Amino acid sequence: MKAVHTELHRSHDPQFFLVRGVVKRTTEQPERADRLLKGLKDGKHQLVEPTTFGQGPRARIHSPEYLSFLSEAWDAWTALGDSGPEMIGNIHPVRHAATYPTHIVGKLGWHTADTAAPIGPGTWAAACAATDVAVTAAQMVMDGEDATYALCRPPGHHAYRDMAGGFCFLNNSAIAAAHLRLKHERVVILDVDVHHGNGTQGIFYARPDVYTVSIHADPVAYYPYVWGYAHERGEGPGLGTNLNIPLAIGTGDDGYIQAMDVARKAIESFAPGALVIALGLDASEHDPLKGLAVTTPGFRRIGQAIARMGLPTVFVQEGGYLSDILGANLTSVLAGFEEAR
């Protein structure tokens, strides 16, 4: 399996992370990509540089005002003269009967769901590069590759049409799915990150052509807390094309594979032409965010379960944070996929 990657992700190096009132260094660091690259090397995957696709694929998913905000935010922030080293909102307005702000501080709050997506001088460039990585991987599958892997950083599945959050700015998995829709009538996004793919769900919630499935730690006691429950099934034309499978905190391999079987049956009923895997590796028993307890052999079983769906597949990297086992878990899931294909 070929893997798409660019070193441009390094321009995004966030520092701020607020955890239960305590400021810590974020777990979404450039070193994540280094450990994932080692996993690709150990799996003998060929690395491919991305093609630059420009704004078009991003504009299929994100609103014009949001893309303008992200592209101009850092210059407007530094022009204040007394701003901090990263952009972190201090207002997050409930949008009922609200007016879109013109001041950069107001825009920052409007376009961020939480404090976990600090914007720095290189964030926009890195986020754009990540979308090129995802779209390149999708295009390779459209051109005949059976499966590809996109090493996207920053990740994307918490980003809504016009809001950043949870380390995410542009929704790479959604953008890959929208690109695949140029060829396929129906596409599925299966999110195996430990966190619910709330941004992805929000983007496609009323659409019948993209089926969003998320297996994740139960949000009753885990981020994002207010999205990701089993009763959230879509709305309007999209009713029935959103499936959430929340798992009890600490669920291990067998429970996870049972959830994968539920997901597989639902996906087969939808009869898609292609599959996007929002590949979080943070369901690991060793991940610092401690939600689920999947082992390295368990990730191999997840890869095998994905392969048995028999669809053209784009793996898009989402979460998976600093642990000694991160690269091995990537090697394991891709090896499981390849051996069961």
Side-chain angles (χ1 to χ4, degrees):
M1 186 189 309
K2 294 177 181 175
V4 188
H5 165 68
T6 175
E7 286 293 302
L8 294 176
H9 76 90
R10 294 189 187 280
S11 67
H12 176 62
D13 188 9
Q15 304 295 311
F16 182 94
F17 188 32
L18 185 64
V19 183
R20 298 179 182 178
V22 179
V23 176
K24 301 181 178 182
R25 171 76 193 277
T26 180
T27 51
E28 209 295 280
Q29 301 173 22
E31 187 183 346
R32 289 182 60 228
D34 297 333
R35 299 192 184 199
L36 293 167
L37 281 169
K38 184 180 186 304
L40 293 173
K41 180 179 179 181
D42 290 346
K44 297 180 170 57
H45 296 281
Q46 178 185 345
L47 293 180
V48 177
E49 285 288 325
T51 300
T52 300
F53 283 85
Q55 193 80 312
R58 297 187 279 272
R60 293 190 195 113
I61 292 297
H62 295 287
S63 71
E65 63 187 16
Y66 181 57
L67 293 172
S68 293
F69 160 74
L70 287 177
S71 66
E72 300 166 358
W74 185 252
D75 287 344
W77 180 255
T78 55
L80 292 174
D82 58 354
S83 54
E86 292 183 301
M87 297 180 65
I88 302 156
N90 59 286
I91 176 174
H92 299 285
V94 177
R95 298 187 183 187
H96 300 300
T99 300
Y100 184 69
T102 58
H103 194 280
I104 185 58
V105 174
K107 287 183 179 181
L108 176 59
W110 184 276
H111 289 301
T112 51
D114 53 42
T115 60
I119 297 171
T123 298
W124 171 243
C128 288
T131 68
D132 284 334
V133 168
V135 176
T136 298
Q139 185 63 49
M140 290 165 63
V141 166
M142 291 165 67
D143 291 341
E145 294 285 341
D146 180 58
T148 55
Y149 167 79
L151 204 175
C152 294
R153 186 187 167 270
H157 73 148
H158 296 308
Y160 284 83
R161 181 174 181 266
D162 65 350
M163 276 196 302
F167 308 154
C168 302
F169 303 90
L170 298 172
N171 197 310
N172 306 308
S173 293
I175 290 167
H179 194 70
L180 289 167
R181 275 285 291 112
L182 299 178
K183 179 176 182 179
H184 300 284
E185 183 178 353
R186 290 180 301 281
V187 173
V188 166
I189 301 175
L190 171 58
D191 193 321
V192 297
D193 192 281
V194 75
H195 303 99
H196 174 244
N198 56 307
T200 309
Q201 172 178 295
I203 287 166
F204 295 111
Y205 207 58
R207 285 179 55 168
D209 57 330
V210 177
Y211 190 15
T212 48
V213 182
S214 183
I215 304 171
H216 51 269
D218 193 334
V220 73
Y222 205 70
Y223 185 93
Y225 298 103
V226 296
W227 298 286
Y229 294 87
H231 66 264
E232 299 163 15
R233 301 181 54 246
E235 65 184 9
L239 183 62
T241 57
N242 187 81
L243 174 63
N244 289 327
I245 308 174
L247 302 177
I249 301 297
T251 295
D253 295 353
D254 290 343
Y256 203 101
I257 294 302
Q258 290 173 9
M260 287 290 295
D261 193 52
V262 172
R264 176 186 57 79
K265 292 174 182 177
I267 289 168
E268 287 176 352
S269 296
F270 187 67
L275 175 65
V276 174
I277 301 296
L279 184 62
L281 297 170
D282 42 7
S284 168
E285 61 182 342
H286 297 296
D287 193 88
L289 300 185
K290 300 293 183 188
L292 301 177
V294 175
T295 66
T296 299
F299 278 106
R300 198 178 200 96
R301 293 171 65 187
I302 290 171
Q304 292 167 345
I306 293 167
R308 285 193 286 269
M309 297 181 193
L311 293 164
T313 302
V314 181
F315 289 87
V316 176
Q317 188 64 51
E318 294 290 354
Y321 301 100
L322 296 181
S323 72
D324 292 338
I325 210 75
L326 178 58
N329 287 341
L330 177 58
T331 305
S332 185
V333 71
L334 296 183
F337 179 89
E338 291 180 323
E339 67 191 18
R341 198 60 155 173

